[in-house]
Amino acid sequence: QVQLVESGGGLVQAGGSLRLSCAASGRTFSSYSMGWFRQAPGKEREFVARISWSGSSTYYADSVNGRFTISRDNAKNTACLQMNSLKPEDTAVYYCAAKRGGGSSWSGAYDYWGQGTQVTVSS
């Protein structure tokens, strides 16, 4: 079992930055690939970024590539999403998720989810 708790969301102006954190419980955090997803009102949940269990491999959605950076610290059981150059269209609830084995951009592949944190970008 893995429990995930996101933090770091908030209100920011366009062009600003936020850093989301995902704190995980359990002693096997390092065996899970981690992903970040987001869901805007009236839209489906979409993939944002993912990172392998070791942190050596990352992958991003085209919409955030070059602006967002995913990272993890297995010693601290945390995964982070650094978001720069934020745009109003980045407004959404952001979720972190964990899955055993290799990473995936498909939300259905993930075993555990956090409760989400709201990110609002004003124009």
Side-chain angles (χ1 to χ4, degrees), residues 1-2 4 28-35 51-53 72 97-104 108-112:
Q1 281 279 357
V2 176
L4 304 173
T28 59
F29 175 73
S30 60
S31 64
Y32 288 84
S33 296
M34 299 297 296
I51 188 166
S52 62
W53 65 270
R72 68 187 296 160
K99 70 177 295 295
R100 298 177 185 88
S104 175
Y110 286 78
D111 303 298
Y112 303 101

Side-chain angles (χ1 to χ4, degrees), residues 40-52:
K43 296 187 177 181
E44 293 187 352
R45 190 170 297 188
E46 66 173 359
F47 167 76
V48 175
R50 58 180 168 89
I51 188 166
S52 62

Side-chain angles (χ1 to χ4, degrees), residues 18-40:
L18 282 174
R19 184 176 179 85
L20 305 183
S21 294
C22 176
S25 65
R27 294 177 292 177
T28 59
F29 175 73
S30 60
S31 64
Y32 288 84
S33 296
M34 299 297 296
W36 284 94
F37 293 78
R38 66 187 182 186
Q39 188 167 18

